[in-house]
Amino acid sequence: RPEYPISALLYAAMATAARWGQEDLESLHRELEHGQERLSGRYASSRAPDAWGLLLGLGPLTRAELARALDVTARTASQIALALVEAKLVAAPAPERPLQPVMPRR
């Protein structure tokens, strides 16, 4: 079996990692656009798009975590959660359960 020089192995690993990073960024961009479309025209909370970005980047968050991350009141975080549920961007959670992003099927 032929041995590959370390530089060739490192190059291949970096190329693969770069491709995965690009795919992740493209997916994130699509999901952000999807959220903007779903939230457009909704006045429920001007912070809902920010919350959507946080959920995409960090994963599921509780309302309390969302309130701390966005520096809003618990009531505002609940309104944001409701706006996201109504926009079908998150599944309707129990009050103490994290908001789970719902990704569209492509």
Side-chain angles (χ1 to χ4, degrees), residues 79-93:
Q79 290 172 336
I80 292 168
L82 181 60
L84 293 172
V85 168
E86 289 174 351
K88 296 182 176 38
L89 293 173
V90 299

Side-chain angles (χ1 to χ4, degrees), residues 11-77:
Y11 178 82
M14 288 181 354
T16 298
R19 187 178 72 252
W20 289 347
Q22 179 182 2
E23 289 169 1
D24 286 349
L25 289 172
E26 288 171 353
S27 175
L28 180 60
H29 183 72
R30 281 191 307 273
E31 298 309 327
L32 284 170
E33 284 183 345
H34 172 71
Q36 293 295 335
E37 290 170 9
R38 301 294 304 197
L39 291 167
S40 68
R42 294 180 183 269
Y43 179 72
S45 175
S46 61
R47 301 301 306 270
D50 298 331
W52 177 239
L54 282 172
L55 290 167
L56 287 176
L58 300 176
L61 296 171
T62 64
R63 287 173 180 82
E65 292 167 331
L66 201 58
R68 284 191 298 273
L70 295 174
D71 195 27
V72 298
T73 65
R75 183 171 189 271
T76 298

